[in-house]
Amino acid sequence: MKVFVSFLALLLTTTQVQAAPPNIIILFADDLGYGDLGCYGSPVIRTPNLDRMAAEGLRFTDFYSAAEVCTPSRAALLTGRLPIRSGMCGDRRVLFADSEGGLPPSEVTMAEALKAKGYATMHIGKWHLGIHEGSRPLDQGFDHSFGLPYSNDMDGRPGLPKGASGLADPPQDGWNVALLRDGNVVEQPVNQVTLTRRYTEEAVKFIRGSKERPFFLYLPHTFPHVPLFASPDFKGRSRAGIYGDAVEELDWSVGRVLDALRQEGLAENTLVFFTSDNGPWLIMGDQGGSAGLLKDGKGSTWEGGMRVPGIAWMPGRIKPGVTRELAGTMDLLPTCLALAGAGVPEKTVLDGIDLSPLLFQSKPLPERPYFYYRGDQLFACRIGEWKAHFKTQTGYGQPRADVHEPAQLHHLGRDPSEKRNVASAHPEVLEKIREAVKRHQDHLVPGAPQLK
Ligand code: MG
């Protein structure tokens, strides 16, 4: 009997060990372009840690953020839904310090779903999903939060010259943004030079302290969004000015996080995903990044505005390689919930799909349309290699969109820079895309606008 009980206990322990739900970490850069990492072809910015992560993991060539700017992109990542469904998009483009709206409490975030499954949840970095009750990190499923309520160029102090955020050497005391811990002010204005380092220290501390329960760490970095700052160890070190310095420090941060997982023996049971909220802010000149061979950048529905680096890492579980499958940030919620054994929110329309078959079995994903929104307007749609533009507008500086009737059509394989409109030669492709758009729009229920 005694032997049997011991055997049973051993069996239970073994089962528990095998069934330990994986940890999840999302590393989210701000305004990092498709062409800004070594593993995505940058000749001027050194990113050895991200290059190693890509070499050990799965690197996506066709990974998309769900929006062309910050707030809607983050809302989509955390909910797995197009921003138009939550109302987190519109004419003002993002939330500002005086905005009254925010991520509605009715939205189910990845943090809420994982917390319900017993996960410890932490947000470190920029939030930008609302500062009012109901929308803040602790209201949206995070046990703890450390970071900025919105972008680091908001809340400029009196006398700050226009355009100061885009300077190569911006004033350190130019902005009044506060550093918050669990909603309480820790430092105001925050010393932005220290941010990447402090986020990293928090992340490592959280990882090392989270051995009892599975954890979800959402780490949306402040940089390389302008104004750009870097620690003394990184300032002036890259070939790409302060932008490159900030990205190289971000790369260091990724290395520290992955090292902590390795040291704690957690690497094989932690999914880490690295991506960016939107393309590079090109109007910032030297202080904006690069979308590589892709057209335009942040703010636009050309490829450079929404196609971003995407790297999945889970040693021993994810086979190293490069994938051309089309995927995006809205897929992370269904993927992570599946991994955690958590059900997806009931009665909620999701726009993402579970990437597990691709990540863990190298299986192709089903073909599906990808919708490119600018604010609450659908501008373009991609199916397979084909992308149709119904409207186009440069990210910043073009007051009104160009409307295309018939739509412009580009083959993203033969024409990744979207230079040649081949609509007249492929009417059947345009028709297929139009039908997909109609099906999408016929069933779409927009949320109450939040960005007022
Ligand atoms: Mg951004």
Side-chain angles (χ1 to χ4, degrees):
M1 183 65 185
K2 209 172 165 186
V3 173
F4 176 70
V5 170
S6 309
F7 175 70
L8 199 67
L10 181 71
L11 195 71
L12 279 172
T13 314
T14 314
T15 314
Q16 278 163 356
V17 168
Q18 282 172 347
N23 308 302
I24 292 159
I25 299 182
I26 295 178
L27 306 172
F28 207 33
D30 195 343
D31 296 0
L32 179 80
Y34 187 78
D36 284 326
L37 304 180
C39 52
Y40 280 84
S42 173
V44 290
I45 304 177
R46 294 167 299 187
T47 55
N49 294 290
L50 280 155
D51 299 351
R52 179 180 170 190
M53 180 183 176
E56 294 173 356
L58 188 65
R59 183 172 72 81
F60 288 76
T61 60
D62 292 53
F63 193 83
Y64 288 90
S65 86
E68 80 304 354
V69 288
C70 196
T71 296
S73 169
R74 282 148 211 269
L77 180 144
L78 284 181
T79 62
R81 287 151 58 77
L82 281 166
I84 191 161
R85 299 192 198 276
S86 57
M88 292 293 279
C89 58
D91 290 346
R92 274 191 101 186
R93 310 198 82 175
V94 298
L95 289 169
F96 288 88
D98 64 352
S99 296
E100 288 166 16
L103 188 64
S106 55
E107 292 292 322
V108 180
T109 67
M110 207 186 303
E112 285 170 322
L114 291 171
K115 189 182 164 84
K117 202 67 191 164
Y119 275 63
T121 55
M122 174 130 199
H123 155 256
I124 300 172
K126 163 173 160 178
W127 181 242
H128 214 181
L129 290 171
I131 55 173
H132 303 293
E133 197 177 335
S135 301
R136 298 169 300 200
L138 270 53
D139 305 325
Q140 290 285 358
F142 289 97
D143 299 329
H144 294 288
S145 166
F146 178 79
L148 310 189
Y150 36 67
S151 298
N152 57 335
D153 65 339
M154 292 180 172
D155 204 2
R157 301 182 88 186
L160 182 74
K162 203 168 181 292
S165 65
L167 296 173
D169 199 8
Q172 266 187 46
D173 56 357
W175 294 266
N176 200 35
V177 189
L179 178 66
L180 309 176
R181 184 184 291 281
D182 294 345
N184 303 310
V185 176
V186 172
E187 188 177 297
Q188 189 171 22
V190 64
N191 179 356
Q192 296 203 32
V193 173
T194 65
L195 271 182
T196 300
R197 180 176 56 74
R198 285 156 93 184
Y199 289 165
T200 309
E201 286 167 358
E202 282 291 324
V204 169
K205 198 169 123 196
F206 175 69
I207 291 166
R208 294 204 199 283
S210 299
K211 289 199 197 121
E212 307 303 316
R213 289 158 65 194
F215 65 81
F216 170 47
L217 170 61
Y218 170 54
L219 204 176
H221 277 279
T222 286
F223 301 117
H225 190 292
V226 297
L228 291 162
F229 298 95
S231 298
D233 284 353
F234 292 90
K235 197 169 179 200
R237 295 291 175 91
S238 83
R239 284 175 70 194
I242 183 69
Y243 182 89
D245 300 343
V247 174
E248 291 189 359
E249 186 164 10
L250 208 70
D251 176 75
W252 163 85
S253 173
V254 173
R256 289 299 315 278
V257 167
L258 300 190
D259 279 348
L261 293 172
R262 291 186 189 104
Q263 287 158 8
E264 299 296 331
L266 297 171
E268 284 73 21
N269 200 36
T270 305
L271 172 67
V272 185
F273 204 97
F274 177 92
T275 185
S276 176
D277 70 334
N278 48 250
W281 209 352
L282 299 178
I283 54 163
M284 295 299 159
D286 285 354
Q287 277 66 254
S290 164
L293 84 175
L294 305 180
K295 185 167 180 167
D296 215 307
K298 173 177 176 175
S300 136
T301 51
W302 294 106
E303 286 297 287
M306 291 175 62
R307 205 197 295 187
V308 286
I311 305 168
W313 184 88
M314 195 173 190
R317 292 286 307 277
I318 294 178
K319 202 170 138 199
V322 178
T323 178
R324 300 169 177 183
E325 293 288 327
L326 188 161
T329 52
M330 290 183 293
D331 299 325
L332 296 178
L333 176 135
T335 305
C336 294
L337 298 198
L339 204 56
V344 293
E346 271 177 49
K347 293 183 194 157
T348 303
V349 179
L350 290 180
D351 294 288
I353 60 168
D354 177 8
L355 301 177
S356 301
L358 171 68
L359 296 181
F360 307 120
Q361 297 159 43
S362 306
K363 285 186 181 162
L365 299 173
E367 185 180 84
R368 55 189 168 142
Y370 203 79
F371 302 107
Y372 302 67
Y373 276 83
R374 179 184 172 117
D376 56 9
Q377 301 291 309
L378 191 149
F379 267 45
C381 174
R382 173 179 176 179
I383 298 179
E385 295 282 25
W386 297 100
K387 178 177 175 186
H389 290 274
F390 305 101
K391 294 178 185 176
T392 53
Q393 190 170 4
T394 193
Y396 292 85
Q398 181 186 337
R400 257 182 298 280
D402 294 325
V403 179
H404 304 290
E405 184 51 52
Q408 281 192 15
L409 187 69
H410 297 275
H411 187 280
L412 294 176
R414 296 189 283 265
D415 179 22
S417 305
E418 298 174 281
K419 289 177 179 162
R420 297 180 293 281
N421 174 18
V422 292
S424 58
H426 301 280
E428 76 293 348
V429 175
L430 264 190
E431 193 48 39
K432 181 179 171 183
I433 295 179
R434 252 194 226 106
E435 282 166 14
V437 168
K438 186 172 182 310
R439 273 196 302 279
H440 166 66
Q441 291 182 323
D442 281 351
H443 295 100
L444 183 73
V445 182
Q450 298 295 320
L451 306 191
K452 288 181 281 188

